[in-house]
Amino acid sequence: MSEWWKKEVVYQIYPRSFCDSNGDGIGDLPGIISKLDELQKLGIGILWLSPVYASPNEDNGYDISDYCAINPEYGTMTDMEHLIAEASARGIRVIMDLVINHTSTAHPWFQASRDPQSPYRDYYYWRKGSKGKLPNNWTGFFGENCWEYDDRSDAYYLHLFAKHQADLDYHNPKVLEEIKSILRFWLDKGVAGFRCDVINILWKDSLQSSPKKMILTGSEHYLTLEGTHAILREIRKILDEYDAFTVGETVFASTKQACDLTLPERGELNTVFGFEHMECDQKIVKWLKTDFHPARLAKALSKWQLEVPWNTLNLENHDQPRSLSRFGSARYPIQSAKLLATLLFTLRGTPFIYQGQEIGMTNFDFTSMEQVQDVESKNVDRLLQSFHIPKKQRWRMIARTSRDNARTPMQWNTGKNAGFTAGNPWLGVNSNYRFVNYASQQENPSSLLHYYEKLIALRRGSETLLSGTYCPLKITDEEFSYRRAGRDGSYTIVLNFSDKPLRVPYEGNLVLSNYGYNRYDGILQPCEAVILRERS
Ligand code: ISL
Ligand code: CA
């Protein structure tokens, strides 16, 4: 195994919101192809596409109705093959989003399974309720219960996510056989691997009710169980035939579980997304946001650096609010955006950029729930309403955490709809596109975009930053500093998260400062990030 994925930077595209080529207001594959030169210039080596498979879009593609067909809204299979070829011509590999915990209820397997005599019946969890009671007391991820009654079946089916996303039952060996052929279909087309959606909950060891009410009641019956490890080992055997890369989205995984899922000798995943750092500004659930304390973010990242041999490094994705709105400084937005970028590319692991992060896109500027499209946000708003939470308070919670914050259209230029579409965008464009857009940053040598390019090139050229050791130096709400040591010497990275100047004791030759300085005197400006090289 060449471990090529350790050297690369991954760029995640949410196709619906990236670039619309035909004016229907929906991003598409030809639109992505038209922007590959920009992505190559940025220096990324892997493109992760959120799902583009056939889907009724109840969860914008995370509800798949045909794994081997392209949603016509995004284009054709020829477009997909063209994208893979065009990306490869630019040295960029493509990974797909593998959503195999559940399918859409529009999938033919599910539709067939509604007939209790069907051979597809046991592809899903169908259970009788009793006298209107649900089969168990589990709760779902999207603020709904997780059983939906189907009158044709006179039974309930399990859905840990939206009711149109029915959980597959891996106790039926036929299910894994189907998944294996889907993997081969895409690997034979030249995809280089998969981002594996909620991959650590595939195996449910029972459907018993849980004695303890929790945020996710019943999760002890499916979170990172041995049955899931066994499935991952099966999948790994196929992926190894293609030297393919897998990154698992592993909700609520500990560092120990992350090691069990990714250590090479385990033969399961290559790496995972942990969420501990993404929970640094919340209480109990992500909808209860607290103030941001940089030390909490730094402590979580540092813990995973020390306890997991190879990490993913990410501050955003299509489910998370924008990192600049969440972890940035209102007084020093550009400097803090560059500071966060410095963090992303100098820790140890594979960095992931989410579309728009490289130009400092922020949370949406919607003013009401009517503008929100996200199924999770709508379900949670309904749930909060059932608890009689006042509208103003509900909106404050939704606006700060809704996944639509990350899904507003990519801001390309100052033209109509920020250059995303000539039509009516499926989701509102942030009105700050006039000064936050790709084109204006292309022209500005000291822009955030060019700073990303510099960092990506610096990382690629340094054995130490790529694969050196990590050692924390100081973690407070003001300062996060750490040392990376390896074959091309040692680097000290010092991040001043505060809005005040900060004196620090570190020596070294200045390699890069987000202020563009060319000298270092031990005093960091507000939100300044410096990379120092040990004096040899
Ligand atoms: O938002 C989250 C991160 O804290 C989680 O609740 C998220 O929903 C969970 O990690 C699963 O997300 C993945 O599976 C969902 C899909 O809606 C998300 O977009 C996807 O990233 C169901 O497929
Ligand atoms: Ca389109």
Side-chain angles (χ1 to χ4, degrees), residues 59 102 142 195 197-198 249 251 286 318-320 403:
D59 187 15
H102 46 269
F142 282 177
R195 175 267 187 185
D197 189 62
V198 277
E249 184 205 32
V251 287
K286 63 181 187 175
H318 63 293
D319 291 332
Q320 298 289 336
R403 302 187 302 179

Side-chain angles (χ1 to χ4, degrees), residues 273-274 277-278 301 312-317 344 350-352 357:
F273 293 122
H277 68 294
M278 288 292 201
L301 288 169
T312 55
L313 306 169
N314 72 314
L315 294 170
E316 295 193 21
N317 64 39
L344 201 63
T350 300
F352 282 69
Q357 178 182 339

Side-chain angles (χ1 to χ4, degrees), residues 345-357:
F345 294 102
T346 57
L347 285 172
R348 177 184 161 85
T350 300
F352 282 69
I353 306 170
Y354 176 66
Q355 69 180 46
Q357 178 182 339

